[in-house]
Amino acid sequence: MMALHRRNFLVSASGAVLFAGLGRHARLWAAPRFGAFPFSLGVASGDPWPDGFVIWTRLAPHPLQPDAGMPPLAVQVRWEVAEDEAFAHVVRSGEEIAHPDLAHSIHVEVSGLRPSRLYWYRFLVTGVEASPVGRARTAPAADALPERLRLGLAGCQAYPQGWYEAWRHLASEPDLDAVFHYGDYIYEYGRKSSFTIRDREGRDAHRRHLTDEVYTLPEYRQRYAQYKMDPDLQAAHHAVPFIMSFDDHEVDNNWVSSFDQHGSSREAVLARRIVAMQAWYEHMPVRLAQAPRLGELTMYRRLDFGRLVRMHVLDTRSHRSQQLCETPAGRGCRKRDDATSTVLGNAQEAWLGAGLRNQACWNLIAQQVRMMPIVRRNADGIRLPGPPDSWSGYPAARARLIEAVRDNGLTNVVVASGDSHVHNVGHLPVRDDELDGPAAAVEFLGTSISSGGDGQADSEKRRFLLRDNPHFSLYNQQRGYQLFDIGPHEWRTDVKVLDRVQTPGSMLSTLASYRVHPDKAQLC
Ligand code: FE
Ligand code: CA
């Protein structure tokens, strides 16, 4: 943490204060006067560990302006963590500098807290009302075996495609420890949308992207700001810590490594990734270890919840081989799968393999895209190749992961995924050509918060998929999220759906519940 020492200050003629160590913008805005409330994007917490968690905010008095209404000056921000909502018992506090280089975002890695305990946090800046108050629970102690851990699974929140009421519902779920977000926090697309979102009176709510497709750092920052202004999304962040990842739309649809779907040059793709990842970091409650460094960012990481759950958060984008061609004529794509194809890259794959050797009751592999195979057919009933943007485009890499699970004798692996905008629950078969054979893991693929609009509970496509995929237990095209209720002897998943998202006032219901026991990779 950066400490401010008096001797580092020099008052300049303009009244700004020079501060040694602030870098290019070596000026501190000593008595800030914001044009509006600077905590317009709310607060957030993330990545709980036994004695703390990350707390986040960003100063943005006019969030949609290119500079968010902030001068290029650094601002000193105070933070407090309390044992009570009224902040009568503040147990940790400190000062951080909000740098213009990082869009005046603040990331504090709070430590020294007690395990498995609820805390409240807030931010303070001279002369303005305090930030909204957020709530976060620390993880269990490393040697503890908690009776219960409750995790949410959610993601894919295309702003122009629906209201965020799923986030509001999730915010009021009791006793949530954390939410895993599988990405698509923003979508890069432009103004055009085929969805009409209506207000309570049935009028067009004009819930659309404000700009064309985003490419530059100011554009990505503004896109995050637009999304984060949503009060339902803020309510979820204020209620529970998020374990963030990213998928494709934080940069560009279906990108992997240095490839995009337009065949852009390596330089162009990497340049876009650099600014997109900076904006991601600036808006996410993640640790400094997840900050971009010269265009590379290490997102994959592990979180332990006592001896109950080891969570492996994967990055299935940054280190992946190029996608397979969907049609033989595909330009610049990979023609066929071979042993060298990879989803995780060598370093992450080795890291995961080593991390699977543990004594935890459960291994949760939290990642972005469908790991299970999926059999799809065209209108004539001819079988199509696996979707190239999921693990099915990388059967050799999937086989290696399954081998790692089996080499370790693990029967307690649960895979959590997203990306497909459907709830899809099933088994990960050991062999791709034996879909109803033994399973290496169970997979809970969460739908979307809003992407895809209202959706539907049943369709012909759904019925065909269930017929052709005996390893699927559930396939549903509505919006919502999933809840994992995890105990040492039983894992329970509730699949939650909303009846609609394109008009407000949605009804939430539990579509299905599943149980898994750690001694067998099987849904009950
Ligand atoms: Fe998505
Ligand atoms: Ca996606």
Side-chain angles (χ1 to χ4, degrees):
M1 191 191 314
M2 180 175 298
L4 273 178
H5 298 293
R6 243 193 138 69
R7 59 190 160 80
N8 288 335
F9 287 93
L10 283 168
V11 181
S12 75
S14 66
V17 174
L18 297 173
F19 174 60
L22 285 180
R24 186 162 55 84
H25 303 279
R27 294 200 303 162
L28 186 77
W29 201 14
R33 296 169 76 92
F34 305 105
F37 186 55
F39 299 108
S40 59
L41 304 181
V43 300
S45 66
D47 280 21
W49 54 86
D51 78 333
F53 36 73
V54 178
I55 56 174
W56 170 95
T57 194
R58 179 188 167 200
L59 304 178
H62 298 289
L64 299 178
Q65 289 179 8
D67 58 4
M70 290 292 291
L73 297 170
V75 178
Q76 192 171 347
V77 179
R78 182 174 173 75
W79 56 270
E80 293 180 344
V81 175
E83 286 181 342
D84 62 308
E85 202 170 358
F87 288 82
H89 301 284
V90 173
V91 288
R92 285 286 177 276
S93 61
E95 311 277 352
E96 281 284 323
I97 296 293
H99 288 265
D101 314 66
L102 290 172
H104 294 99
S105 62
I106 296 272
H107 299 75
V108 183
E109 297 185 18
V110 181
S111 63
L113 304 177
R114 287 193 280 145
S116 291
R117 195 195 192 287
L118 203 54
Y119 290 94
W120 286 262
Y121 62 92
R122 67 180 176 186
F123 297 89
L124 302 151
V125 185
T126 316
V128 292
E129 198 188 323
S131 76
V133 172
R135 191 176 68 184
R137 189 183 295 278
T138 48
D143 58 354
L145 183 58
E147 273 173 32
R148 186 177 187 230
L149 188 82
R150 260 164 78 78
L151 301 178
L153 175 71
C156 286
Q157 47 191 60
Y159 183 87
Q161 299 183 10
W163 297 108
Y164 284 172
E165 289 185 0
W167 282 131
R168 178 72 64 175
H169 291 295
L170 188 138
S172 58
E173 294 286 355
D175 306 323
L176 268 189
D177 290 279
V179 169
F180 171 62
H181 194 296
Y182 43 74
D184 290 358
Y185 194 97
I186 57 160
Y187 283 69
E188 79 284 12
Y189 296 138
R191 294 180 168 89
K192 258 204 223 123
S193 173
S194 51
F195 293 82
T196 304
I197 308 306
R198 302 203 176 273
D199 65 15
R200 287 188 185 278
E201 281 72 47
R203 296 172 305 213
D204 184 348
H206 300 288
R207 192 175 165 91
R208 296 196 186 100
H209 288 150
L210 294 169
T211 59
D212 293 331
E213 182 159 341
V214 293
Y215 291 93
T216 66
L217 182 55
E219 290 167 349
Y220 279 106
R221 283 174 173 165
Q222 189 203 41
R223 184 59 56 88
Y224 277 101
Q226 186 187 6
Y227 278 53
K228 290 192 79 86
M229 286 170 75
D230 185 282
D232 292 339
L233 175 58
Q234 289 193 14
H237 279 299
H238 295 176
V240 58
F242 276 49
I243 296 165
M244 293 304 315
S245 70
F246 52 75
D247 195 26
D248 51 337
H249 291 287
E250 282 83 351
V251 183
D252 184 32
N253 184 41
N254 286 358
W255 72 277
V256 298
S257 303
S258 57
F259 304 100
D260 70 8
Q261 58 186 348
H262 317 292
S264 304
S265 72
R266 176 184 160 80
E267 294 72 28
V269 175
L270 292 181
R272 192 174 183 185
R273 264 182 68 185
I274 288 169
V275 296
M277 290 295 100
Q278 179 171 343
W280 176 82
Y281 174 73
E282 289 170 353
H283 293 86
M284 294 299 129
V286 290
R287 286 189 185 228
L288 188 59
Q290 275 69 55
R293 283 181 298 273
L294 287 174
E296 274 301 330
L297 181 155
T298 305
M299 185 264 270
Y300 63 87
R301 58 201 191 275
R302 264 191 281 278
L303 289 93
D304 285 313
F305 295 89
R307 292 184 288 132
L308 183 61
V309 181
R310 167 164 279 194
M311 182 171 180
H312 314 260
V313 180
L314 305 187
D315 179 346
T316 57
R317 290 279 163 200
S318 304
H319 316 286
R320 207 204 285 193
S321 317
Q322 198 176 11
Q323 297 186 351
L324 278 171
C325 305
E326 275 187 87
T327 57
R331 203 163 48 83
C333 48
R334 193 161 44 97
K335 298 287 187 287
R336 71 179 72 81
D337 191 58
D338 60 44
T340 63
S341 77
T342 179
V343 172
L344 304 177
N346 293 339
Q348 185 179 188
E349 198 168 306
W351 166 90
L352 176 64
L356 285 172
R357 287 190 282 280
N358 64 69
Q359 299 300 315
C361 295
W362 298 97
N363 279 280
L364 169 56
I365 298 183
Q367 49 98 53
Q368 291 75 41
V369 292
R370 181 188 283 108
M371 197 177 281
M372 297 180 279
I374 178 170
V375 175
R376 307 178 303 169
R377 296 182 194 279
N378 69 11
D380 300 323
I382 310 288
R383 188 170 168 176
L384 298 166
D389 191 39
S390 71
W391 284 82
S392 290
Y394 305 79
R398 180 166 61 200
R400 287 198 302 276
L401 192 151
I402 290 168
E403 210 175 277
V405 168
R406 289 166 62 81
D407 280 353
N408 285 296
L410 296 176
T411 53
N412 62 2
V413 176
V414 174
V415 179
S417 347
D419 177 57
S420 295
H421 306 171
V422 293
H423 279 303
N424 190 188
V425 176
H427 295 98
L428 174 66
V430 172
R431 291 170 55 95
D432 286 3
D433 55 2
E434 208 184 336
L435 295 178
D436 52 359
V442 300
E443 180 166 357
F444 294 106
L445 189 153
T447 181
S448 60
I449 291 292
S450 57
S451 305
D454 287 341
Q456 51 196 342
D458 196 14
S459 66
E460 196 177 33
K461 177 187 171 189
R462 169 181 175 274
R463 289 192 292 272
F464 281 130
L465 282 173
L466 288 173
R467 186 199 64 192
D468 287 339
N469 292 278
H471 57 305
F472 283 4
S473 292
L474 178 81
Y475 190 93
N476 168 282
Q477 296 159 280
Q478 288 172 294
R479 310 287 73 87
Y481 54 87
Q482 295 183 13
L483 292 177
F484 300 155
D485 221 310
I486 309 165
H489 307 295
E490 187 173 88
W491 175 302
R492 180 193 157 108
T493 295
D494 287 335
V495 178
K496 299 283 191 176
V497 292
L498 271 59
D499 62 337
R500 61 184 191 272
V501 295
Q502 292 178 236
T503 47
S506 58
M507 293 278 292
L508 179 77
S509 58
T510 304
L511 177 71
S513 296
Y514 296 90
R515 286 167 205 281
V516 190
H517 299 119
D519 55 356
K520 192 158 193 214
Q522 188 173 21
L523 295 158
C524 321

